[in-house]
Amino acid sequence: LEKVDKTKYLGVLIDNRLRFNEHGEYIIKKMNKKLGLFRRISNKLNEENKILYYKSIVQPHIDYCSFVFKMMDQKTLNGLQVVQNKCMRVINRENINELREKYKIVLVDTRINVNVIKSLNRILIKGKPSILNNLFVKNIDARVRHMRFANNLVIPNYLKNRAQKSFVFVAAREYNLITKFIHDNKLNNNNYINNV
């Protein structure tokens, strides 16, 4: 096997240190290209069509394999947020916050967290892929005594900051936060994804 510093697999640039910063920079470049086209055609589109363009052409770059974004440096994540902000200004320069609220467009970091939770939910419900499903253990399965949050996931005891950015750690932590939020606000458990 040839040793390389980075390789592209299923649209994700994987580097030899699993930092994914190069993948983030690659995605930022792709999003900027779409932003350039967006600016050129924006005067021909109304607000709804601009939102449609953003959600169908730009946002999927954030959504695809988004759990790897959690492994990136904050500087790269900020770059993704900058591109999203530029898109919002193209749609409506004056009222960006109202625009976000009206069309339910969340910040990049929040969007990534939601995608991580959705991925984890699919893993827990379907049990596949089993290699990932086996990494998540509920409190009730890990301990004998009855607990208030027995269905919460056990958060791995990772000490290094790098390990705390892994999918298993982040997904378990975010899942537990959402479960607590649902419990505290007495929301309907049947609509888990809507609650997320």
Side-chain angles (χ1 to χ4, degrees):
L1 293 174
E2 181 186 355
K3 184 178 178 181
V4 293
D5 292 334
K6 62 183 175 185
T7 187
K8 192 174 187 182
Y9 184 69
L10 296 175
V12 178
L13 273 174
I14 304 170
D15 60 285
N16 59 355
R17 299 181 70 200
L18 294 178
R19 301 240 182 234
F20 294 101
N21 289 325
E22 290 185 43
H23 175 67
E25 291 164 9
Y26 168 70
I27 294 299
I28 289 169
K29 285 179 186 173
K30 286 179 81 169
M31 288 172 67
N32 275 321
K33 286 180 185 176
K34 305 289 168 60
L35 175 61
L37 175 63
F38 192 21
R39 284 182 174 144
R40 287 194 293 277
I41 65 171
S42 65
N43 59 349
K44 296 174 178 65
L45 303 173
N46 62 21
E47 188 173 272
E48 284 76 25
N49 288 334
K50 289 177 184 179
I51 290 292
L52 185 63
Y53 179 91
Y54 170 76
K55 287 189 172 182
S56 60
I57 303 296
V58 181
Q59 187 170 284
H61 292 296
I62 299 169
D63 292 341
Y64 179 70
C65 209
S66 61
F67 60 86
V68 301
F69 290 122
K70 296 303 278 182
M71 309 269 300
M72 295 177 191
D73 294 338
Q74 192 59 45
K75 180 182 173 188
T76 309
L77 277 174
N78 292 344
L80 289 167
Q81 186 59 60
V82 166
V83 178
Q84 188 198 51
N85 292 344
K86 289 177 182 176
C87 288
M88 294 297 102
R89 284 189 201 98
V90 170
I91 296 168
N92 187 337
R93 184 171 283 286
E94 282 79 41
N95 300 317
I96 294 176
N97 291 332
E98 288 176 18
L99 188 72
R100 285 183 191 279
E101 194 172 312
K102 181 179 177 183
Y103 293 104
K104 296 182 174 69
I105 298 173
V106 296
L107 298 174
V108 169
D109 195 43
T110 305
R111 181 107 188 143
I112 292 167
N113 285 342
V114 168
N115 289 334
V116 166
I117 294 295
K118 285 181 177 179
S119 298
L120 175 61
N121 197 43
R122 283 190 293 270
I123 291 168
L124 294 177
I125 288 172
K126 295 182 181 176
K128 293 180 181 177
S130 58
I131 194 166
L132 286 178
N133 188 42
N134 295 337
L135 295 174
F136 298 101
V137 179
K138 293 195 173 184
N139 284 338
I140 198 165
D141 298 330
R143 299 182 178 103
V144 178
R145 67 175 196 241
H146 185 329
M147 298 178 62
R148 181 176 170 194
F149 291 105
N151 287 326
N152 275 9
L153 297 176
V154 175
I155 298 176
N157 190 18
Y158 297 153
L159 300 177
K160 296 196 173 193
N161 288 340
R162 190 87 204 118
Q164 290 177 359
K165 291 183 172 186
S166 70
F167 175 70
V168 175
F169 186 90
V170 170
R173 184 188 64 209
E174 295 297 326
Y175 182 87
N176 291 347
L177 288 172
I178 291 292
T179 305
K180 184 177 184 319
F181 177 81
I182 291 169
H183 180 270
D184 291 347
N185 293 291
K186 298 176 177 59
L187 299 174
N188 185 354
N189 283 329
N190 297 335
N191 296 326
Y192 185 80
I193 294 301
N194 290 336
N195 291 333
V196 168

